[in-house]
Amino acid sequence: MTTTDPPTDRPVPEALPDPSALLRGTNWASLETATGPARKLPQALIRLLEPDLTMPEARKALDALEPVRHQNTIYDATPATALFVAALLARRTTQHGMEANGVCMLLLAWLAGVATDSDDACVAAGNRYFDGNYLDGYPAMVAMRALRPVLYRAVSPFLDNADAAVRDTALAAALAFAEHPALAPHRDNLIHHARQLLLTNDTQWRRQQALDALRAWGHDTTGLTRPGDDDRSPYTSDSLWPDGDFATPPF
């Protein structure tokens, strides 16, 4: 679960930016989505900045971001959008503390979805079809994966949240982001959380992700597995990865 990526030609911040500044400073019209240039994307992002945002309003705004994750694909505009969502989540954490209200959960779920859309398993699958050169022709994916260390900063504060659903959502994102070599020092802590999840969580794709991380990072899974954990059949509905429906997030 650790892949060496080519360098990105886009700036990679060391810290999460101010979301409002990022929104103003990004040339959205120059970035492509599944439906063309991202000219209308700022309208949805502006709505997410509202301090009194309700869950229905947040769902509607996040629904409008579908063109940057259509069919679980990373587009040219996806990295900047993910950075914005992470920056917004961090700001809400500062404003509201670690209560992780419903809006925070939706933002976490969105980030967890984009994390799995760009993880090492996705790259490995792509490499099988592109003779190991998948990332060479996919600068948007390279840029997305280069942001993993800074995106991790937004989700990691929720790993110890009192709410199990919040913890598990944060872990789904963190395990994928931590495949980045720069986050290797954080993996032992994530393994602790993954073991706890395997003791308490019955959701098959979550268990598979946790087991994959344990094995890839050299940890023993004895006593943590259950019958069916390794069933990756596409015909078993509960074995599938989440499809990005953050309106009713499986996280």
Side-chain angles (χ1 to χ4, degrees):
M1 288 173 64
T2 301
T3 301
T4 301
D5 292 10
T8 180
D9 59 0
R10 303 187 191 184
V12 180
E14 294 184 2
L16 288 164
D18 175 77
S20 298
L22 178 63
L23 180 61
R24 293 192 303 269
T26 301
N27 182 3
W28 296 99
S30 71
L31 302 176
E32 291 292 321
T33 72
T35 56
R39 294 188 183 92
K40 296 183 179 180
L41 203 59
Q43 299 173 15
L45 301 180
I46 287 172
R47 292 201 297 270
L48 288 170
L49 287 171
E50 291 294 328
D52 298 323
L53 191 69
T54 65
M55 283 189 67
E57 290 169 340
R59 287 194 185 97
K60 185 176 180 179
L62 289 170
D63 281 343
L65 304 186
E66 194 275 340
V68 307
R69 285 197 59 216
H70 181 65
Q71 295 185 340
N72 302 95
T73 300
I74 302 299
Y75 297 91
D76 200 31
T78 311
T81 305
L83 186 60
F84 175 89
V85 172
L88 180 60
L89 177 61
R91 188 170 80 173
R92 293 188 69 90
T93 303
T94 301
Q95 293 173 338
H96 301 284
M98 296 307 299
E99 295 180 2
N101 62 18
V103 173
C104 287
M105 276 291 295
L106 291 174
L107 297 175
L108 270 173
W110 194 92
L111 287 170
V114 81
T116 57
D117 290 344
S118 56
D119 65 7
D120 284 357
C122 290
V123 173
N127 280 335
R128 289 195 290 272
Y129 289 97
F130 292 93
D131 297 323
N133 300 313
Y134 180 61
L135 292 177
D136 292 341
Y138 201 168
M141 178 69 87
V142 173
M144 182 69 242
R145 287 165 59 82
L147 290 174
R148 288 176 291 175
V150 71
L151 300 179
Y152 180 87
R153 294 189 178 196
V155 302
S156 60
F158 296 94
L159 290 170
D160 293 306
N161 195 274
D163 188 322
V166 174
R167 291 196 306 272
D168 291 350
T169 304
L171 183 62
L175 287 173
F177 290 148
E179 292 173 342
H180 192 288
L183 294 174
H186 297 274
R187 292 174 188 167
D188 283 346
N189 180 52
L190 293 176
I191 289 302
H192 165 73
H193 289 287
R195 289 180 181 275
Q196 292 300 311
L197 180 144
L198 289 167
L199 293 173
T200 60
N201 197 297
D202 297 326
T203 304
Q204 191 165 3
W205 77 262
R206 284 189 177 282
R207 297 183 58 80
Q208 291 170 349
Q209 186 194 30
L211 288 167
D212 286 347
L214 283 165
R215 291 163 179 161
W217 297 336
H219 292 264
D220 186 15
T221 60
T222 302
L224 296 173
T225 59
R226 299 177 184 173
D229 275 345
D230 289 322
D231 180 7
R232 309 298 174 108
S233 169
Y235 302 105
T236 305
S237 60
D238 64 352
S239 73
L240 297 178
W241 286 92
D243 63 3
D245 181 8
F246 42 79
T248 52
F251 308 99

